Amino acid sequence: MALHARKPERRVLLRAGLTFTALGAALGAGAGSAQAVSLPPAAEVPEQGVSALQAVGETAAPAVTSALGTSLASSVAPVTDLQLDPLAGTGVDPLDNAVGTQIADFKPVTTAIVTDPITSGGALSDLPVVGSVTKLVTG
């Protein structure tokens, strides 16, 4: 097989490795607050139907779940505070284009209510519906 024919395989493996590395770094960023798990002594493990591995799994499961939840919340929280529109507040902001109209003496109708959170420099957590969802994830 020619050398140039193997390059896509290497790229796929490199991309997969980098993806898993980034995922591990993101999960490990918030795992600093995980607590140590006290494993049951070998004498306390019941003999009928429960192996030592199952006993350790039952003891460690809450700690692992807590660590994963904490790391998820800690890795998602900074992303929700980033400014969505980098040109917000400048004179060249293309998203600052509210349209309004008024018919007779009715109240004027405008799109500024929808675009204002983004054009004023808001973050993902400042948006009306999405902000409440991100607060559920980050705690």
Side-chain angles (χ1 to χ4, degrees):
M1 175 181 263
L3 184 61
H4 68 279
R6 290 189 295 196
K7 286 184 181 178
E9 294 172 3
R10 290 182 184 171
R11 288 182 187 154
V12 170
L13 290 175
L14 178 65
R15 287 180 185 158
L18 290 175
T19 302
F20 284 119
T21 303
L23 179 64
L27 289 176
S33 63
Q35 298 176 358
V37 177
S38 60
L39 298 177
E44 293 181 15
V45 176
E47 295 297 326
Q48 60 269 23
V50 178
S51 69
L53 185 59
Q54 288 174 337
V56 169
E58 291 171 1
T59 305
V64 170
T65 305
S66 173
L68 287 176
T70 303
S71 64
L72 174 67
S74 298
S75 61
V76 170
V79 175
T80 61
D81 295 332
L82 291 176
Q83 182 178 350
L84 290 175
D85 185 14
L87 297 174
T90 63
V92 294
D93 186 10
L95 298 178
D96 191 14
N97 56 359
V99 177
T101 186
Q102 182 177 6
I103 300 173
D105 12 328
F106 292 109
K107 256 174 111 173
V109 178
T110 181
T111 60
I113 296 171
V114 177
T115 60
D116 187 49
I118 296 174
T119 59
S120 64
L124 194 63
S125 59
D126 298 333
L127 296 177
V129 176
V130 179
S132 58
V133 172
T134 58
K135 287 180 183 145
L136 289 174
V137 173
T138 59

